Structure formats: structure tokens, C-alpha cells
Amino acid sequence: MSQSIELTSEYIREFVLAGHGNFERVQEMLAATPALLNAAYEWKENDRETALQGAAHVGNTAIAEYLLAKGAPLEICTAAMLGQHDAVRKFVADNPQQINATGAHGIALVTHAALSGNVALVQWLIEHGAHGGISAALHNAVNKGHTELTRWLLEHTEPDLGWTNFQDKTALTIATERGWEDLAEILRAHGATT
């Protein structure tokens, strides 16, 4: 299909935003303009984001897998979000600096991995030197309802229980609002308060 829409900055921005959670719009826009697949929007200097990176940092598996199937390149943060332990190990084996990779907006690798709920992957990353993003990782684990990962992070790392997301909510606030009392109790047992 020939490109019928100009790749303006605003059009790329719309696609990247859709990549965070509007699967239908991603499909529609990509069908109309295949060149959007790897197009990045520059939010500010040194903060560029593709639709796949957007899907990766919010944990949208369906959109990420769709974009990968369409030919978008797999990066370590996306592999981590998808819980692809073998792929993450290969990235690190090929380039040990990848252990401290960040995705869009400087979001840490461990934070992405927490979205998968894969305790073994998160443990492996931390044991192999990944640092940063632990408080956000805890929040992501709670936000996705990953009880075992939440417990593991609280027992083996030192997250800031007062850390808040872009909505100014703590992990305990999220657990409480969603009625996930098991997660709320785990957080309270480790010192979280409202």
C-alpha cells in the first residue's frame, strides 16, 4: 500500500499515543501508513518514543506483539515486559551494558520486567546488576495484580513505598482502589501506609 498520509510530527505523536492502549487505532493507522511502524516521536531532547516502546512501558502485550509481528524490532525493554527471559539474557550476553538499559522516558529495565510478573526474570536482572526503577517496578507489579512478584520485591529489594505514579497514587492506593486486599495486606505488612 502506498503511503497516503504525510508523516508529520503530530501524526507520529498520534500513533505513538495509540500504541499505549488503542489497538484499533494502531491497526488502522499502520494499515494506512506502514512507515509509522518504527517512527519515533520526540517528546523532548533525548526522549524519543515509538508506538512499540509506548506499549512496552505500559504493559500492553497485545499491541506490542502486534507491532513485533508487523516487523518492529525487539528491544530489551519490550522483551522484558513480555517476560521473554531468554531474549533478555541474550541482549545482556551480547552487550553487558544492556543490564541497565532504559526505554522511553528513561524508564528502567526492571520496571518493564515487572509488568510481566515474571519473578525469575526480575530476580535475574537484579542479580546481574540491574539497578534503578525498583519503586516503579513494585508499582507495576501491584498495578498488574502480580502478587508473587510484589512479595518478592518487598522481601528482596528496598522500594520506596511512598513512590507515586503519574496519577500521584502509591502502590497501596492502587491495590486498595481495586479491592485487591491480598496485595494491600502484603504492602501494609512491609510498612506501606495511606
Side-chain angles (χ1 to χ4, degrees):
M1 175 180 266
S2 62
Q3 184 173 324
S4 58
I5 300 173
E6 182 184 353
L7 279 183
T8 64
S9 178
E10 283 307 305
Y11 194 62
I12 293 169
R13 179 180 184 274
E14 181 182 352
F15 185 66
V16 169
L17 288 173
H20 290 73
N22 189 339
F23 198 173
E24 186 177 315
R25 186 65 178 141
V26 166
Q27 292 172 311
E28 176 186 304
M29 292 181 77
L30 193 57
T33 314
L36 282 169
L37 183 63
N38 299 315
Y41 182 76
E42 188 165 351
W43 296 102
K44 58 185 178 182
E45 189 174 344
N46 297 319
D47 187 10
R48 297 172 53 83
E49 180 180 23
T50 65
L52 179 55
Q53 290 170 325
H57 80 77
V58 298
N60 195 314
T61 301
I63 290 177
E65 289 176 343
Y66 173 79
L67 293 170
L68 289 168
K70 290 295 186 180
L74 180 66
E75 296 174 344
I76 192 170
C77 289
T78 303
M81 181 277 290
L82 293 171
Q84 296 179 356
H85 199 159
D86 290 342
V88 171
R89 284 184 198 196
K90 182 167 179 4
F91 276 111
V92 174
D94 291 347
N95 178 359
Q97 296 302 314
Q98 286 283 330
I99 197 71
N100 287 308
T102 58
H105 317 305
I107 298 172
L109 181 58
V110 171
T111 304
H112 284 85
L115 291 164
S116 74
N118 187 327
V119 176
L121 173 57
V122 172
Q123 181 177 354
W124 185 88
L125 287 169
I126 291 170
E127 287 174 352
H128 285 81
H131 58 79
I134 298 297
S135 300
L138 174 67
H139 196 284
N140 281 350
V142 170
N143 192 45
K144 290 289 187 175
H146 298 311
T147 304
E148 291 309 311
L149 181 56
T150 297
R151 184 177 286 113
W152 189 90
L153 286 166
L154 288 166
E155 292 174 358
H156 296 92
T157 67
E158 296 181 14
D160 174 0
L161 297 174
W163 187 88
T164 57
N165 67 2
F166 69 99
Q167 296 173 316
D168 203 31
K169 294 180 180 182
T170 65
L172 180 57
T173 302
I174 294 292
T176 303
E177 286 178 353
R178 295 195 179 167
W180 294 344
E181 198 51 38
D182 58 334
L183 282 170
E185 282 306 311
I186 293 167
L187 289 162
R188 287 188 195 103
H190 284 84
T193 59
T194 52

